Amino acid sequence: MSEARSASFLSDIQTLRRRAREHIAEGAVTPGYHADREVVLKLLNEALATEIICTLRYKRHYYMAKGIHAESVASEFLQHAQEEQQHADQLAERITQLGGAPDFSPDGLTTRSHAEYVEGDSLEDMIKEDLIAERIAIDSYREMVNYLGQDDSTSRRLLEEILAKEEEHADDLASLLEGMASH
Ligand SMILES: [Fe+2]
Ligand SMILES: [Fe+2]
């Protein structure tokens, strides 16, 4: 623990209470918040855009797979779509807790997102595109987790939780691809 950090850790309770009252209008952002709020909000909005794009892509893949009677793959796509939607909601919630505004605008959505919206021509293409998108999300969330470190542990924990789910998604997709290759 650095000197500055151990000093702030030891702030007496009266000082903490007084500061909390002074800055009540700032909501969850207290003077003990060490991160650069503007940067964190930008990163969280990029993660939000990524989750929205992933939701849309999985929805498209779900309906297309259903149309060609690939039921087990379709149900995997649907489950992923629902989980990406949940991630989007959790990120939007955290953005408002930090006093920011979640960006749901369709304008520039694909630019803000790290992962891409690719439709894919065949079932195998769809799974491959989803796997690529998951791997991009995994890398960018891991970078965000490292950036946040101890400075915003709530946002960091949220991203770690989402990251773990994306790793599960990538694993599911890799298994689906393997299953297709062995047929
Ligand atoms: Fe997600
Ligand atoms: Fe995912």
Side-chain angles (χ1 to χ4, degrees):
M1 201 181 273
S2 71
E3 285 240 67
R5 224 164 239 161
S6 62
S8 68
F9 182 69
L10 295 172
S11 299
D12 67 62
I13 195 79
Q14 253 106 23
T15 309
L16 292 176
R17 280 184 188 146
R18 181 175 47 76
R19 286 199 311 208
R21 271 199 303 272
E22 275 171 12
H23 299 281
I24 216 98
E26 289 172 33
V29 182
T30 61
Y33 185 82
H34 293 294
D36 181 332
R37 206 178 63 101
E38 291 310 312
V39 174
V40 173
L41 287 172
K42 187 174 167 290
L43 292 176
L44 292 175
N45 263 316
E46 285 175 12
L48 173 61
T50 304
E51 296 296 340
I52 297 169
I53 288 290
C54 289
T55 306
L56 295 173
R57 197 192 55 253
Y58 275 123
K59 281 272 186 175
R60 155 84 184 194
H61 291 177
Y62 163 64
Y63 285 106
M64 293 306 280
K66 219 170 106 136
I68 52 174
H69 304 291
E71 296 300 333
S72 64
V73 179
S75 72
E76 198 74 55
F77 288 160
L78 180 61
Q79 197 198 332
H80 287 197
Q82 288 162 345
E83 285 165 347
E84 310 304 12
Q85 176 69 67
Q86 197 188 332
H87 295 163
D89 289 334
Q90 288 172 298
L91 288 161
E93 184 75 43
R94 181 62 188 152
I95 289 166
T96 53
Q97 273 177 2
L98 290 173
D103 192 347
F104 280 96
S105 171
D107 291 338
L109 183 61
T110 52
T111 314
R112 294 194 302 280
S113 169
H114 296 157
E116 286 181 295
Y117 179 91
V118 182
E119 295 180 341
D121 293 327
S122 64
L123 196 59
E124 193 177 355
D125 272 358
M126 294 179 213
I127 301 170
K128 277 183 183 161
E129 289 303 335
D130 291 330
L131 182 53
I132 292 167
E134 294 290 354
R135 290 173 63 94
I136 291 168
I138 288 166
D139 274 347
S140 62
Y141 294 164
R142 193 177 288 134
E143 270 180 42
M144 288 184 197
V145 164
N146 290 338
Y147 170 78
L148 290 167
Q150 300 303 312
D151 292 340
D152 179 344
S153 50
T154 306
S155 299
R156 192 199 69 230
R157 276 198 305 274
L158 172 61
L159 285 162
E160 280 172 341
E161 192 190 305
I162 295 175
L163 173 59
K165 188 51 86 175
E166 310 309 1
E167 285 175 342
E168 255 181 66
H169 288 171
D171 201 47
D172 294 343
L173 295 162
S175 304
L176 287 176
L177 271 182
E178 257 172 48
M180 293 188 92
S182 65
H183 279 140

